[in-house]
Amino acid sequence: MERKVAIVSHVQTKHSSDIGMPRERMLFNLVKELHNKVGITRHDVDSYVLCSNDFEAGRTISTVFEDTPVGAYMKDETKVEMDGIMALIYATMRILSGQFDTALVVANSLGGSQFRPFLIMEYQLDPTFDRQVGLINELNAGAFQARSYMDKYGLDEWFLDAISARLLRNGAINPYALRSKDDATPEYVASSEYYYEPLRKLHCYPFSDGACAVLLACGEKAKELCEKPVWIKGFSNSLETCRLGERELYTSPSTKQAAEKAYKAAGISDPANEIDVAEISAKFAHQEPIICESLGLFPEGSAEDVAKNDLAEITGKMPISPSGGGICTYVFSAAGLINVAQCCQQLTGEAGDAQVPNAKIALAHGQDGFCAQHNSVVILSSEEG
Amino acid sequence: MGRRVGIVGVGQTHHAAHRLDASGMELIAEAVTRAFDDAQITRDEIDAIVIGNMDHFENINYVDMWALEGLGAFMKPVFKVTTGGTTGTTIAACAFYSVASGLFDRVLAVGWEKNSESDTQAAVATCANPVLERDPFAGAIGPLATEYSMYMKAYGATEEDAALVAVRDRNNALNNPYAHNRMKVTVEDVMNSPMLSYPIKFLDMCPRSDGACAVIFASEEYAKKMCPRPAWVHASVVRHDYTHFGDLEWQWMPSLERASAEAYKKAGITNPLKEFDVAELYLPASTTGVKWMDSLWFCERGEAPKLIRKGVFNMDGELPVNPSGGVIATNPIGATGLIRVGEAAWQIMGRARDRQVPNVKKALVTGFGGCSWSDVIILGADLP
């Protein structure tokens, strides 16, 4: 990479199961807030990458009504229809190409109040084989994946309860989180109803309304626009097959491959020691260890040990999702971008009670698809390097 | 400042109204395999893939995840982009930026649509405001009929001017073995075809097709090795107009005026009519083949009918437009813009066979979609 790209600023909504306003108003308010925070107008932004989903919006070309409220009139705007972290990656490439100096990334969905994410996922199934049989949905596929991990490493359900409890407690100190409980215990999580054994209600993501906007700029411009730019040091993404039966669900080779490339770009050789904090997109509790292990942050099959020794706590050796992660908020289309925003807070020392001391290198993860079929990794740093 | 990017291979399906012999994934595989053959490479040599279509048309969400077997995308970085009618050019732009960023050397761009499995107009209608504008402007024809009516009133253009464009594009399609509608037509045929929405008649309007297109983009270093005459990307510009149809300017097209002006600036074009050797334009109806010539700065506003009547844009004219037959001959929507890019690239590479324009050095490509959204891409035989 000849050019350097940094995050100038970021904003997110107070996520909710019903945000109570039209999508256009939500986006207008959000981007206006970002403009005011940075002290710019829409004329200072060269390029826009939006991220939303036609199925969720119930409209073909979901961005038709989004580009005016975000200020993209007569601008070079495009749309990525994946997880929001991919919109950030595309925006970074647009700046690296030298064609633009700034890019605004905006991702949103109203999965809480408008269209249920489980239904959005139904339309992702193969239309000829899987969808018509009607046996597979996101929830039971998730349950299969949890069971696959438990069987592989001989674990019972306790680690799922412990992960959710930790994340719910983290959510309580995140002002943007939808769901939280400041005194959550594994017993409390285990008292929630089964959705699909072994997954209980509190092992699954809540349906969320929300949006996130991140402003990127090339190095020189970023330094002009803000005091503490967060530098994008490396990223990658990778895709597995959509045939669940052909995958080993207890592990995530696509995460592993994406991480290897991102680490190489960022010059990281020992991720578990070099990365200070990670925000992981886990839609279900069991996905957190599967993804973290593929990222090389914990040994394989270590979910129970990690929980027992508090390794993933904010005060632990390898803090995972201080924001509360996917168990507290999962804004479809925006989740990975929100992880990036949370990492930025950590790196600029603005994370409040959730602050990991001296965080310098952070990892943001995003995923799409059944059992995290597609995974993306972004490495961020407070130092230009 | 970024890397130079060239197109080194193109593949497309034989487009048709109903490709009953192939599933969506097989259509994708057909185009991808042909692009690999055209560039003489294999799947292993592809670093990243960009795919796009319109989700609602085939009712498949996250098509990148489902189509990976047809794409050859297993364990590769994949990007899914989509912007309605402009999807095809959006895909090309994303592939261009991916390579220009320095992160990938060879990127496969794929657009596709299987409209025979879709209720296309019903899906398109959902992009209009449901209360205010879905009734008058539902589907693609309403807005196009409105804008040409206003253009005719303002500048004295006629229905016959549009028919001349329809005759040009449809007869050009006879030279293109991949085209969906291949029929010899006359101005009388067009004028006598059934009225869809005044002043647009059946033979003025694009069809909906099954088909796919794949284009391979490569960095300067690789492009020079892979292709004797790559089509270099000189500019890629997008401009989006207001959302509501009622807010738009109808007698000219501000998004196309601004996108093309910016692209010409980037590519150093000062006299587009003279400097371009060929154009593959996203003209969804023959009427746009009249009206939008103004907005591409080929002439003053309102002067386009004169150029059309003189045959300036015919195969033997000053600037041949749509040697492939264009969108009114072939329209697999998510692929349509990418086919424009692929056809223009073939013109530069000298691989356009019966529809080849001699000695093409600079080619103009446009994409159209959304609510009067415009994409402009400029390709050239010389390094940018």
Side-chain angles (χ1 to χ4, degrees):
Chain A
M1 287 189 228
E2 289 175 18
R3 255 186 155 194
K4 287 174 181 166
V5 180
I7 294 168
V8 172
S9 189
H10 56 87
V11 287
Q12 55 183 305
T13 52
K14 163 85 184 77
H15 310 302
S16 154
S17 59
D18 183 357
I19 205 144
M21 64 179 106
R23 191 187 307 268
E24 295 77 15
R25 169 62 61 183
M26 172 176 78
L27 293 175
F28 179 82
N29 290 350
L30 185 76
V31 173
K32 202 77 194 157
E33 185 188 335
L34 184 121
H35 284 168
N36 293 340
K37 199 171 153 189
V38 187
I40 56 168
T41 69
R42 76 175 201 93
H43 299 291
D44 297 308
V45 181
D46 294 344
S47 167
Y48 288 76
V49 181
L50 305 190
C51 182
S52 55
N53 183 282
D54 286 7
F55 280 85
E56 183 274 316
R59 157 180 296 143
T60 195
I61 327 177
S62 59
T63 44
V64 156
F65 286 83
E66 296 174 8
D67 61 356
T68 310
V70 303
Y73 171 70
M74 288 298 167
K75 297 277 187 175
D76 204 311
E77 180 236 309
T78 191
K79 172 181 142 191
V80 169
E81 194 164 59
M82 309 175 86
D83 182 62
I85 203 164
M86 292 302 297
L88 178 104
I89 288 178
Y90 182 23
T92 308
M93 296 198 307
R94 284 164 83 95
I95 295 175
L96 286 174
S97 76
Q99 301 283 327
F100 304 103
D101 289 339
T102 51
L104 181 64
V105 184
V106 186
N108 85 92
S109 80
L110 299 179
S113 60
Q114 302 235 327
F115 199 79
R116 294 300 187 203
F118 286 171
L119 282 173
I120 303 176
M121 296 295 286
E122 294 274 321
Y123 289 104
Q124 198 199 306
L125 289 167
D126 181 289
T128 314
F129 302 106
D130 298 338
R131 201 188 301 171
Q132 297 190 24
V133 177
L135 290 175
I136 304 177
N137 56 55
E138 189 182 22
L139 196 55
N140 69 18
F144 284 136
Q145 190 183 25
R147 190 62 78 187
S148 161
Y149 184 84
M150 289 159 69
D151 289 352
K152 173 76 180 172
Y153 299 112
L155 300 177
D156 61 22
E157 293 172 27
W158 182 84
F159 79 98
L160 296 171
D161 303 334
I163 289 171
S164 285
R166 187 191 88 239
L167 292 171
L168 287 167
R169 291 194 302 271
N170 287 353
I173 49 176
N174 174 4
Y176 304 107
L178 189 166
R179 185 159 74 183
S180 65
K181 186 164 173 63
D182 58 6
D183 57 351
T185 58
E187 293 71 37
Y188 166 76
V189 174
S191 69
S192 69
E193 67 197 286
Y194 270 126
Y195 270 5
Y196 204 104
E197 207 178 325
L199 294 181
R200 294 176 183 275
K201 180 180 177 183
L202 293 177
H203 299 145
C204 305
Y205 67 94
F207 298 152
S208 318
D209 282 4
C212 180
V214 174
L215 180 66
L216 303 177
C218 63
E220 317 83 77
K221 188 87 185 170
K223 284 185 219 163
E224 272 173 40
L225 289 170
C226 69
E227 280 179 23
K228 291 184 192 166
V230 172
W231 300 89
I232 297 175
K233 307 294 278 186
F235 53 81
S236 189
N237 66 307
S238 184
L239 179 63
E240 290 168 52
T241 176
C242 60
R243 317 262 172 233
L244 286 174
E246 295 173 9
R247 291 171 56 191
E248 301 281 19
L249 294 174
Y250 59 82
T251 182
S252 178
S254 56
T255 303
K256 203 168 189 169
Q257 192 193 53
E260 277 167 9
K261 289 187 192 171
Y263 293 159
K264 196 177 159 206
I268 290 176
S269 51
D270 181 6
N273 285 317
E274 289 179 57
I275 292 168
D276 300 313
V277 57
E279 285 284 347
I280 305 298
S281 272
K283 295 170 103 172
F284 303 99
H286 65 271
Q287 289 182 345
E288 188 185 287
I290 291 175
I291 290 160
C292 287
E293 289 164 21
S294 296
L295 289 168
L297 302 179
F298 296 121
E300 283 175 10
S302 64
E304 206 169 88
D305 297 339
V306 169
K308 280 190 177 145
N309 297 310
D310 293 338
L311 298 180
E313 297 281 351
I314 293 170
T315 51
K317 188 167 172 299
M318 181 66 250
I320 302 293
S321 298
S323 69
I327 299 304
C328 295
T329 316
Y330 194 89
V331 183
F332 200 86
S333 293
L337 194 65
I338 291 170
N339 285 346
V340 171
Q342 295 294 352
C343 285
C344 288
Q345 286 194 2
Q346 291 285 349
L347 296 174
T348 53
E350 294 163 331
D353 293 341
Q355 183 67 49
V356 174
N358 296 321
K360 288 199 171 63
I361 296 179
L363 182 153
H365 162 266
Q367 64 145 308
D368 275 324
F370 280 80
C371 300
Q373 184 194 342
H374 177 251
N375 289 281
S376 321
V377 176
V378 173
I379 308 292
L380 301 160
S381 171
S382 57
E383 289 167 0
E384 186 177 352
Chain B
M1 278 295 282
R3 295 197 298 180
R4 292 168 175 146
V5 181
I7 293 171
V8 295
V10 179
Q12 52 180 308
T13 53
H14 282 82
H15 313 295
H18 301 271
R19 280 289 305 265
L20 295 175
D21 61 314
S23 70
M25 199 159 352
E26 287 164 336
L27 286 176
I28 292 169
E30 188 176 316
V32 169
T33 309
R34 287 175 180 179
F36 285 168
D37 290 348
D38 196 45
Q40 306 214 328
I41 61 169
T42 64
R43 181 192 105 83
D44 294 340
E45 293 166 75
I46 294 293
D47 301 322
I49 294 165
V50 184
I51 181 173
N53 75 319
M54 305 271 280
D55 314 317
H56 282 169
F57 288 7
E58 293 81 15
N59 216 15
I60 299 169
N61 192 20
Y62 281 166
V63 69
D64 48 321
M65 317 271 249
W66 166 73
L68 89 162
E69 288 156 2
L71 287 169
F74 181 66
M75 294 302 274
K76 300 231 186 220
V78 177
F79 295 85
K80 157 83 188 292
V81 291
T82 169
T83 57
T86 41
T87 294
T89 38
T90 296
I91 299 163
C94 183
F96 163 63
Y97 292 122
S98 311
V99 177
S101 70
L103 292 163
F104 303 109
D105 288 319
R106 289 153 299 193
V107 173
L108 172 69
V110 180
W112 75 286
E113 214 76 69
K114 194 154 197 273
N115 279 303
S116 63
E117 293 179 0
S118 115
D119 188 345
T120 309
Q121 289 303 316
V124 170
T126 62
C127 85
N129 180 305
V131 179
L132 300 171
E133 298 192 321
R134 202 166 282 181
D135 286 346
F137 287 118
I141 305 176
L144 296 172
T146 307
E147 65 152 36
Y148 197 61
S149 298
M150 295 187 67
Y151 186 79
M152 291 199 302
K153 185 163 190 298
Y155 299 115
T158 63
E159 291 174 63
E160 285 81 1
D161 293 332
L164 284 169
V165 174
V167 167
R168 178 196 76 205
D169 278 9
R170 291 196 181 284
N171 291 346
N172 283 354
L174 293 168
N175 297 324
N176 179 2
Y178 300 107
H180 164 188
N181 284 328
R182 302 173 70 204
M183 53 173 110
K184 191 157 181 60
V185 299
T186 62
V187 171
E188 290 72 48
D189 294 337
V190 178
M191 294 301 290
N192 292 330
S193 64
M195 186 66 76
L196 296 178
S197 177
Y198 176 84
I200 296 180
K201 290 167 281 296
F202 185 73
L203 289 176
D204 287 317
M205 194 62 197
C206 60
R208 25 172 255 173
S209 318
D210 289 357
C213 180
V215 178
I216 298 167
F217 291 73
S219 62
E220 182 178 357
E221 183 196 347
Y222 280 87
K224 282 178 173 167
K225 281 186 220 157
M226 292 164 77
C227 184
R229 193 177 155 95
W232 300 102
V233 181
H234 286 226
S236 166
V237 177
V238 174
R239 289 293 178 265
H240 285 186
D241 211 323
Y242 290 122
T243 297
H244 286 92
F245 290 105
D247 292 336
L248 299 176
E249 184 60 66
W250 289 97
Q251 290 170 30
W252 54 87
M253 182 115 137
S255 63
L256 189 58
E257 283 190 356
R258 296 212 204 175
S260 53
E262 177 70 16
Y264 296 165
K265 201 171 105 191
K266 283 190 177 179
I269 303 272
T270 49
N271 186 343
L273 191 57
K274 282 216 158 50
E275 290 176 57
F276 286 115
D277 304 304
V278 68
E280 275 288 343
L281 308 180
Y282 194 126
L283 305 174
S286 61
T287 51
T288 61
V290 184
K291 182 186 168 240
W292 297 354
M293 299 306 104
D294 294 0
S295 301
L296 286 165
W297 308 93
F298 293 145
C299 54
E300 296 290 315
R301 280 180 188 157
E303 299 288 311
K306 287 182 194 159
L307 299 184
I308 299 292
R309 288 168 207 160
K310 278 202 304 200
V312 168
F313 304 115
N314 293 351
M315 274 305 268
D316 54 0
E318 194 176 348
L319 171 59
V321 168
N322 293 343
S324 68
V327 183
I328 65 168
T330 309
N331 187 29
I333 299 169
T336 301
L338 197 61
I339 294 172
R340 307 277 74 71
V341 176
E343 286 283 343
W346 266 345
Q347 290 285 350
I348 286 172
M349 294 153 95
R351 295 180 186 170
R353 296 174 184 266
D354 294 345
R355 55 198 185 285
Q356 180 72 47
V357 174
N359 195 23
V360 173
K361 286 219 166 64
K362 277 215 162 69
L364 174 67
V365 175
T366 64
F368 160 80
C371 295
S372 294
W373 291 353
S374 296
D375 293 5
V376 174
I377 294 175
I378 297 174
L379 302 178
D382 300 325
L383 273 171

